Amino acid sequence: MKTTKLTLAALALTTLTFGAFAADQVASDPLHQTPVGTISAQGGTNLDSLEAQLNAKADAAGAKSFRITSTSGQNNLHGTAVIYQ
């Protein structure tokens, strides 16, 4: 019983910790951060899904923030973003 409670507490804290490191979307170049690359995503059905895909890729690349630089398409959206450290 004690092990189960400890495991659940550790899982909850781990989930909260990962959420704290998510990349932030910014509208302009962030102060004190350097551009370190670009990412792209495709297959979004709307702008929210495309933004979520770019956010996930920025997180996977370890970026602190990202700025969407282009989007195109109608039913199958494509987008690019600059990532910052």
Side-chain angles (χ1 to χ4, degrees), residues 19-31:
F21 294 110
D24 294 323
Q25 183 180 355
V26 294
S28 62
D29 292 339
L31 294 176

Side-chain angles (χ1 to χ4, degrees), residues 4-38:
T4 303
K5 286 182 183 180
L6 185 60
T7 302
L8 289 175
L11 181 61
L13 289 174
T14 302
T15 303
L16 293 174
T17 303
F18 285 125
F21 294 110
D24 294 323
Q25 183 180 355
V26 294
S28 62
D29 292 339
L31 294 176
H32 310 294
Q33 292 185 18
T34 306
V36 293
T38 59

Side-chain angles (χ1 to χ4, degrees), residues 25 41-57 66 68 70-72 74-79:
Q25 183 180 355
Q42 63 183 18
T45 56
N46 57 39
L47 289 176
D48 288 336
S49 67
L50 183 62
E51 181 182 324
Q53 289 179 23
L54 290 169
N55 192 351
K57 286 192 173 189
F66 70 102
I68 297 175
S70 70
T71 58
S72 62
Q74 291 180 351
N75 296 327
N76 188 12
L77 299 176
H78 177 268

